[in-house]
Amino acid sequence: MQRRRTGTIAVVSALGMTAVLGGCGLTGDSDGVTLRLVAADYGDSKENSSQKYWDELVKSYEAKNPDVHVDVTVYSWNDVDRKVREMVEAGKAPDMAQIGAYSDYADKDLLYRADDVLSIPVQADFVSQLAGAGQVNGVQYGLPFAASTRVLFYNKTLFSEAGVQPPKTWDDLAEAAEALEEKGVKYPYALPLGPEEAPAETMQWMLSGGGGYTDDVGTYSVDSPQNVATFTWLRDELVGKGLTGPVAPGKLNRAAAFDAFANGDVGMLNGHPSLMKMASDKGVKYGMVTTPGVDGESRNTLGVSDWMTAFKKNGHQEEIGDFLDFVYSEENVLDFSREYGLLPVTTSASQTMSTAAEDKKLKPFLDELLLSQLYPVGKTSWASVSADVKKHIGEAVTPGGSPGEVLGEIQATAMRAGSAE
């Protein structure tokens, strides 16, 4: 198999979904090799758990490669990053791991480069917009696994009953939320700032307010005036007025928010492509619009990529590379993307989906991906910053809380973690 040993092809991370692969040196063991993969769960029920996806894919791979066994363990997004970190710290890194951040492992020289494991055609097939974010100091370590962008979903039936139009500005959104509440809608807006979705929902709101995690030159600016104003507005105009739910934002995870929308209890929320199928399956008539901004439609949208990375620990470099080439085949990328309503990370699969009738509803998301902004995943500090966001961002919108203080504390974490870069 032709593999590239020098040079790099960039890859990006996104979702608020990720893949990390742990693999190690070359082996020629004729007795067979067992690869361990830790993956995140993209399913919304036991019926479509990612464990089923991986079991079927592994079965197909092993049928063609009887000397390689792939052992897959799937964790929820609430736990997968922590589980992998604990394994690494205990000296038991998996061969592969699908997670949300990779750069801190790359900085410690724990990962294979992309060109150590992937064939040249597979490296070259990654979507260009996702390429650069997979690099640390100009070298690609992160392999994008699944991608998504965000739009505002709204319940057409509830909006019609309340006599309101899809919002274009924050003021429009607040007025619509109040009108929905007056009509008895349980949760006018779902604001998932719990651990599962906090970094994504936070960045989407930051972008809509003209801010972001970093400034134009890539320096952390978590507590910028724009971001403080954004979370002050959320605290005062939505959370403080009782217009959010089903639970307090800091305790609300994406899965629960999506479930509530699919059950017809939520008027609107930011969502990615997988929500379309969930809502349709439950008979909810939904619409999608560009995320409202402070003074008009948001100029920027969030792009999310989850990452696959390969660890050096166990010495299975060649086997990891062969398995990953299989994982990233057009057929398998399409199967995964369609199963979970996500955007493909390869150009070949993207081109197929952009013209296929069955994927017509995904085209707006595919178009947005090319213009989206992604997490600063190339920073080795991002894992620490993301973890801090998951723990504390909900406090920024708690009635009586101080957005400035909370964002300032996260900024301090970012500066401390960034000082080592």
Side-chain angles (χ1 to χ4, degrees), residues 338-365:
R338 287 167 173 164
E339 174 66 27
Y340 298 107
L342 295 167
L343 304 182
V345 297
T346 62
T347 299
S348 58
S350 295
Q351 290 174 341
T352 297
M353 292 185 78
S354 66
T355 57
E358 65 181 292
D359 303 310
K360 184 177 180 180
K361 290 184 177 180
L362 278 174
K363 195 170 189 311
F365 295 94

Side-chain angles (χ1 to χ4, degrees), residues 126-293:
F126 286 123
V127 173
S128 60
Q129 179 64 14
L130 301 181
Q135 293 184 342
V136 174
N137 297 324
V139 178
Q140 178 190 338
Y141 295 94
L143 316 179
F145 184 73
S148 69
T149 54
R150 299 292 193 273
V151 298
L152 184 77
F153 283 72
Y154 66 96
N155 185 310
K156 286 186 173 181
T157 302
L158 299 180
F159 265 59
S160 178
E161 292 173 351
V164 291
Q165 298 297 314
K168 293 184 178 181
T169 69
W170 287 359
D171 288 343
D172 293 343
L173 190 151
E175 290 174 7
E178 291 177 352
L180 290 167
E181 184 190 37
E182 290 175 3
K183 281 293 183 178
V185 175
K186 287 185 178 180
Y187 317 115
Y189 188 86
L191 183 65
L193 295 177
E196 183 182 16
E197 186 75 350
E201 185 75 9
T202 295
M203 185 169 174
Q204 184 77 349
W205 275 100
M206 285 178 170
L207 291 172
S208 72
Y213 285 117
T214 60
D215 59 22
D216 292 340
V217 296
T219 301
Y220 281 113
S221 57
V222 180
D223 61 348
S224 68
Q226 294 93 330
N227 291 341
V228 173
T230 295
F231 281 86
T232 299
W233 186 89
L234 285 171
R235 180 197 65 187
D236 296 344
E237 301 301 324
L238 290 184
V239 182
K241 293 182 178 180
L243 301 175
T244 59
V247 297
K251 296 181 179 180
L252 180 61
N253 283 322
R254 177 200 57 79
F258 279 19
D259 283 343
F261 184 84
N263 289 331
D265 295 331
V266 169
M268 51 188 159
L269 80 170
N270 288 322
H272 56 62
S274 66
L275 183 54
M276 294 189 297
K277 184 177 186 300
M278 290 181 63
S280 295
D281 287 348
K282 293 289 188 71
V284 171
K285 296 180 179 179
Y286 65 89
M288 301 182 297
V289 295
T290 300
T291 301

Side-chain angles (χ1 to χ4, degrees), residues 8-11 112-114 118 123 126 134-135 138-143:
T8 53
I9 293 180
V11 176
Y112 284 118
R113 298 155 55 120
L118 295 179
Q123 292 181 74
F126 286 123
Q135 293 184 342
V139 178
Q140 178 190 338
Y141 295 94
L143 316 179

Side-chain angles (χ1 to χ4, degrees), residues 3 20 27 76 115 156 161 173 204 210 225 295 315 318 326 364 418:
R3 299 198 182 278
V20 172
T27 62
S76 76
D115 54 19
K156 286 186 173 181
E161 292 173 351
L173 190 151
Q204 184 77 349
D295 55 7
E318 200 70 26
F326 179 76

